[in-house]
Amino acid sequence: MKQAHTKRVRDLVDGVLLLDKPVGLSSNDALIKAKRVLNAKKAGHTGTLDPFATGLLPLCFGEATKFSQDLLEADKSYETTVHLGITTTTGDTEGEAIDMRDVDVTLAQIEAVLPQFRGPIMQVPPMYSALKRDGKAYYEYAREGITLEREARPVTILKLELISFETPLLKLAVTCSKGTYIRVLGEDIGHALGCGAHLIELRRTQVGTLTIDGMVTLEALQAHEAPLTLLAPVDALLSSFPAVQLTEELARRFLQGQRLALGKEEGLVLPDTLGRVRVYHDTRLLGTANLQEYAILAPERLIAAAHA
C-alpha cells in the first residue's frame, strides 16, 4: 500500500532577498531554491539574469510581489567583460564560436567608438532570448536553426564607461534602461571595432535603488540558522517614492480603498511633488498611492498584512 504524501505547508513570508545569483543557474531555478529554504508560499523575481550572468537578483516574497513590477521597469547597472575577436551564436559563453578574427584594436579606437552607444540607441533583440512570437520563445526557434526577422527597439544607455582594456578583453561598466541586452551591446561594440565580440562575464550591480550592499549567496542563505532575518522589508522596493504618514483613522479608511482628501487634515506633512508615494501608519507600510491635485490620496496597491 502506497504511503500518502503530506503536502508541505508553506509560510506567509513577506520581504525582499537580494540574491547574488551564481553562474550556471537560471533566475527561476535560483528563485525555487530560495523559496524552498524560506518555505515561502508566494514568490517572484524581478527580471531575469541569463544563466551565465551573476549578481543582483532581487527576489520578492509575499506582499513584496505586488511591487515587483516596479523593478522590471527600473534602470539596471552591470559590469561586463567583452572578449573581442570571437563571435558566438548566443553572444556569450553559452554559445558556439562562429567567427574568429585578429584583434588589432587600440585604446584610442575603443574610446572613439563608445560614444556612439551612449544615450538613446536602437537595438535588435537577440534570437537567444525569452521574447516570444506566436506564443513561442525566440530561443526555441534558434535551437531549431530558425532565425526570425527582428525589429530594432529603442533603449537608453545611461552610462557606458571603460574600466580596463587588455587585448582581447574589454571591461565595461553599463547603466541602461529596461529591455537592454548587454550581450547585444557587446556584440555591437565588437562589430563597430571590426573584430566581433562576445561576453565572457556579466555581473549585475544595481536594480533601481537596490545595490549589491546586503547581497546574499545561496550558500549563505542555505547555511544560515535564521534565513528569514536576511530579508529586507517590503518597502526596500519603494525607497525612491516619498513617504506619507497617516493617522490611525485615515489609515483605516485608506485600507478600505477610500480616496482621501488630505488638504484640510492638520499635522500631515505632504511631499512637494505629486505622483506615487508610499503610505504608512507609524512604521507600518500600508501600501502605495497616487498623490493627486488638491491633496487627494488615491490608493494603488495595498498591503494585506497591514489589516492585521
Side-chain angles (χ1 to χ4, degrees):
M1 184 176 175
K2 283 188 177 180
Q3 190 174 357
H5 289 284
T6 305
K7 190 173 182 182
R8 184 174 182 177
V9 179
R10 299 279 185 178
D11 297 328
L12 292 172
V13 174
D14 298 319
V16 182
L17 181 71
L18 303 183
L19 185 72
D20 186 352
K21 190 191 85 64
V23 169
L25 204 61
S26 74
S27 296
N28 205 48
D29 286 343
L31 175 67
I32 290 167
K33 287 177 182 289
K35 185 180 178 183
R36 189 177 297 133
V37 172
L38 297 169
N39 197 41
K41 191 171 184 179
K42 187 177 182 183
H45 60 67
T46 55
T48 58
L49 274 175
D50 290 334
F52 96 103
T54 67
L56 182 59
L57 181 67
L59 302 180
C60 297
F61 296 91
E63 293 293 315
T65 59
K66 293 180 177 177
F67 308 103
S68 59
Q69 183 65 32
D70 297 316
L71 289 192
L72 292 174
E73 306 287 325
D75 297 334
K76 298 171 179 68
S77 296
Y78 301 86
E79 287 187 359
T80 187
T81 303
V82 182
H83 192 300
L84 299 178
I86 301 176
T87 306
T88 71
T89 51
T90 58
D92 57 31
T93 56
E94 303 267 292
E96 298 172 8
I98 50 176
D99 190 24
M100 301 180 73
R101 300 186 188 185
D102 292 333
V103 179
D104 184 19
V105 173
T106 65
L107 189 59
Q109 286 174 310
I110 292 168
E111 289 176 337
V113 157
L114 291 183
Q116 66 186 268
F117 295 99
R118 295 184 183 120
I121 64 170
M122 298 299 288
Q123 191 180 74
V124 178
M127 275 305 300
Y128 281 89
S129 67
L131 294 174
K132 290 187 175 181
R133 183 174 298 178
D134 299 328
K136 187 173 173 179
Y138 280 11
Y139 66 79
E140 293 180 277
Y141 289 104
R143 286 171 183 168
E144 294 170 6
I146 299 169
T147 300
L148 302 174
E149 283 291 321
R150 289 143 6 248
E151 284 189 17
R153 306 188 306 177
V155 296
T156 303
I157 308 299
L158 300 158
K159 182 180 90 169
L160 177 59
E161 292 179 359
L162 176 66
I163 298 174
S164 64
F165 175 56
E166 191 171 328
T167 308
L169 302 181
L170 177 63
K171 193 162 187 178
L172 302 167
V174 183
T175 299
C176 56
S177 65
K178 71 163 186 172
T180 303
Y181 287 91
I182 306 298
R183 281 180 288 146
V184 175
L185 180 64
E187 288 180 310
D188 289 347
I189 290 170
H191 179 73
L193 290 168
C195 58
H198 73 288
L199 299 197
I200 59 170
E201 288 180 342
L202 179 63
R203 184 163 181 78
R204 189 155 66 190
T205 56
Q206 188 162 350
V207 178
T209 58
L210 301 177
T211 68
I212 56 175
D213 294 337
M215 262 199 323
V216 179
T217 64
L218 271 175
E219 290 76 17
L221 180 71
Q222 291 161 341
H224 204 281
E225 291 181 2
L228 290 177
T229 62
L230 298 174
L231 293 179
V234 172
D235 58 359
L237 300 177
L238 307 172
S239 62
S240 62
F241 301 142
V244 171
Q245 279 282 354
L246 298 182
T247 63
E248 187 173 356
E249 173 58 21
L250 288 173
R252 184 187 65 76
R253 290 169 52 197
F254 179 80
L255 289 172
Q256 291 173 347
Q258 294 183 27
R259 289 159 59 91
L260 305 177
L262 302 181
K264 295 179 181 177
E265 296 288 338
E266 291 186 15
L268 286 186
V269 179
L270 298 179
D272 296 330
T273 54
L274 303 180
R276 292 187 73 193
V277 294
R278 50 195 163 116
V279 183
Y280 295 85
H281 172 52
D282 293 332
T283 58
R284 190 175 49 149
L285 178 68
L286 308 179
T288 55
N290 265 297
L291 185 61
Q292 301 172 345
E293 283 188 316
Y294 310 112
I296 301 295
L297 190 69
E300 187 190 49
R301 297 176 197 147
L302 304 180
I303 297 288
H307 290 275

